[in-house]
Amino acid sequence: MARLIVQPLSRPLSGSVPVPADKSISHRAVIMAALTHGCSELAGFSYGEDNVATQRAFSQMGVRIEDDAHGTLRVHGVGLAGLTAPADAIDCGNSGTTMRLLAGVLAGQPFASRLVGDASLTRRPMTRIVQPLGQRGAVISGTPRGGDGGEVTAPLSVGPLPAGRRLDPLEYQLPVASAQVKSALLLSGLWASGPTLLREPLVSRDHTERMLSALGLLIETAGPIVKLHPPADPLSIDPFSIELPGDLSAAAFVLAAGLLCEGAVVTTRATGVNPTRSGFIDIVRRLGGELSIAPRGESLGEPRAEITARHSGLRGQSVGGELALRAIDEIPICAALAARATGVTRFFDVAELRVKESDRIAAIVALLQAFGVDASEHEDGFSVEGRPGGRLRAAQVDSRGDHRIAMTATVLGLFADGPTVVDDAGCIATSFPRFAGTLRALGAEVEVEP
Ligand code: S3P
């Protein structure tokens, strides 16, 4: 398994770099392109393993996808009634988004399918989609996880819906704000006999709503309430073109390295800044960090900007509520910023981190402690006592198979007093295959050992 060797920075980071396409939007673009009645073009696809898992799933269901291997996919959509039964189980790898969104799509199909994943995905909670999809008449079951209150996980068995049967309309209150659950239910609503009406405790990322609306589907949102009307005709969704924005969740690692490095000026190009997703920017500014944002247009309802980070002195703050939700995937790298801030930073309302690719609350606290930073867990978050002066203690750490923990460790290693080793770093390829090369392009010394 690959490991990264990270040397302490010997000069200021500087430069302007591209970041991989937004992972959330890429999943949705592949799914919706497959359901149109013609050929859609996706530009800027970045071949992170999670997105490739979604791409492969649709190939298994009879969707022809031409890939120029330089980031342009031409997806030959088959309409809402054209998917065909996959010959084998669909392997979602490490990708929770693939599994949950596909479950929504498969729930409406007249064929049977099975969704499987890697060891981490096979521990993650799936009752959150199995229960409401079942409520609207889907034939779906998970695998009992054992121990905790009847929770089910992967593998999932889905369908078939009996011939001529559609899913029922649904009114559902989500117990936790989750874009994956919301999107699974909205997607299943494309095969329903009536509307899908959802209410979330807080507004989670709205990429699905934006895309469905840009494609002409009848979808209304009012704060945390969203309502989708199913299209009458299975060939009603027109093909489209999208320039996928860069992923703010990937950019955050690069920008954080810039914020922490004396003399640094670091820019990420064409980065997605959807406001339901841009909590990282607001958290950085709350900590006193300097980020400048230059708008760069939008594609299919998703805004992009060039983001520049400059070295900044940071102060500890509290981060919770909707701000934390809008940065849920960036909390690990925000913890690295907190590790270099003056005073204490408390992250709360982030219990969902316990059911991500790893228990990220436990993983972050262990990681910070390995670098000599005081950190402690709470039930719904953690606290960090910053160490703004001097260098961190160089460490040898394990990623726990979690890409965002591996990348957070790498950024911390740039500010350590000797070489840092990040074991089990191959997982970085799930979201940011060129991470080490991107840091090198900015002046860091990061080597990949196979
Ligand atoms: C995602 C939603 C979030 C996020 C995940 C991607 C999406 O998960 O953590 O990385 O694309 O919908 P939840 O919706 O489960 O919080």
Side-chain angles (χ1 to χ4, degrees):
M1 249 178 271
R3 45 157 56 172
L4 291 185
I5 315 290
V6 188
Q7 302 296 337
L9 286 174
S10 54
R11 57 191 161 111
L13 294 171
S14 97
S16 166
V17 288
V19 288
D22 187 289
K23 190 154 74 70
S24 293
I25 299 172
S26 300
H27 285 300
R28 288 153 174 84
V30 171
I31 293 171
M32 290 314 300
L35 302 177
T36 65
H37 61 76
C39 179
S40 295
E41 196 165 288
L42 280 46
F45 193 73
S46 55
Y47 307 101
E49 287 168 1
D50 282 11
N51 287 142
V52 171
T54 296
Q55 178 192 352
R56 222 183 289 121
F58 282 94
S59 302
Q60 279 181 265
M61 291 189 280
V63 177
R64 190 158 68 87
I65 301 179
E66 292 171 81
D67 177 355
D68 74 352
H70 296 291
T72 300
L73 300 189
R74 288 166 60 82
V75 181
H76 296 266
V78 294
L80 289 171
L83 296 174
T84 56
D88 302 305
I90 293 174
D91 188 354
C92 304
N94 189 245
S95 177
T97 313
T98 302
M99 182 164 285
R100 295 189 177 120
L101 270 53
L102 280 185
V105 170
L106 293 167
Q109 306 307 317
F111 53 78
S113 53
R114 197 172 150 77
L115 292 166
V116 301
D118 71 5
S120 146
L121 186 50
T122 301
R123 283 191 294 269
R124 297 181 66 185
M126 293 295 154
T127 306
R128 50 181 65 195
I129 50 159
V130 168
Q131 192 274 324
L133 286 171
Q135 190 176 321
R136 77 181 323 172
V139 180
I140 180 167
S141 58
T143 306
R145 195 161 66 168
D148 46 359
E151 182 63 66
V152 298
T153 183
L156 301 180
S157 295
V158 193
L161 265 191
R165 174 108 166 68
R166 310 195 78 190
L167 294 172
D168 296 329
L170 179 69
E171 258 192 65
Y172 185 69
Q173 163 88 43
L174 278 71
V176 248
S178 162
Q180 293 182 351
V181 174
K182 176 173 62 174
S183 302
L185 297 176
L186 288 174
L187 290 169
S188 71
L190 296 172
W191 290 274
S193 59
T196 302
L197 176 65
L198 308 175
R199 180 192 288 272
E200 292 191 279
L202 290 169
V203 182
S204 65
R205 64 188 67 188
D206 66 357
H207 302 304
T208 304
E209 296 92 304
R210 282 175 191 243
M211 193 169 292
L212 292 176
S213 169
L215 296 179
L217 284 135
L218 211 56
I219 184 160
E220 304 152 276
T221 53
I225 302 173
V226 53
K227 184 174 188 180
L228 172 72
H229 300 269
D233 171 1
L235 295 180
S236 61
I237 309 175
D238 291 334
F240 60 89
S241 296
I242 184 169
E243 271 180 57
L244 296 163
D247 199 333
L248 181 58
S249 299
F253 294 97
V254 175
L255 296 168
L259 287 160
L260 294 181
C261 167
E262 222 157 287
V265 184
V266 169
T267 297
T268 63
R269 299 183 206 142
T271 308
V273 286
N274 175 323
T276 60
R277 240 325 258 302
S278 57
F280 173 75
I281 295 171
D282 301 307
I283 293 173
V284 167
R285 288 178 170 165
R286 181 179 282 197
L287 297 177
E290 191 185 334
L291 288 179
S292 37
I293 318 282
R296 289 288 180 267
E298 64 168 64
S299 186
L300 224 64
E302 292 287 352
R304 291 180 302 234
E306 194 168 270
I307 307 181
T308 299
R310 289 185 171 74
H311 174 245
S312 311
L314 304 176
R315 294 177 307 274
Q317 296 287 343
S318 280
V319 175
E322 66 86 38
L323 180 58
L325 175 66
R326 291 193 301 111
I328 194 70
D329 292 338
E330 290 70 72
I331 299 296
I333 190 61
C334 287
L337 295 177
R340 301 296 280 167
T342 311
V344 174
T345 301
R346 192 168 74 88
F347 295 90
F348 59 100
D349 291 336
V350 292
E352 272 294 294
L353 292 180
R354 295 211 183 267
V355 291
K356 296 290 180 189
E357 287 84 329
S358 66
D359 174 346
R360 284 189 176 152
I361 293 180
I364 291 166
V365 166
L367 183 64
L368 294 179
Q369 289 171 347
F371 280 97
V373 177
D374 274 348
S376 56
E377 283 189 40
H378 325 300
E379 205 178 310
D380 75 336
F382 58 96
S383 295
V384 182
E385 166 98 52
R387 277 195 44 196
R391 288 186 176 261
L392 300 172
R393 185 172 72 207
Q396 173 154 10
V397 293
D398 185 277
S399 72
R400 304 186 183 202
D402 184 331
H403 53 136
R404 300 199 208 280
I405 297 302
M407 290 189 277
T408 301
T410 305
V411 171
L412 287 167
L414 299 174
F415 305 98
D417 58 7
T420 285
V421 178
V422 185
D423 286 320
D424 194 3
C427 53
I428 292 173
T430 61
S431 65
F432 201 161
R434 295 187 183 159
F435 178 61
T438 301
L439 289 179
R440 282 197 295 271
L442 294 169
E445 282 178 65
V446 180
E447 292 309 321
V448 184
E449 266 187 11

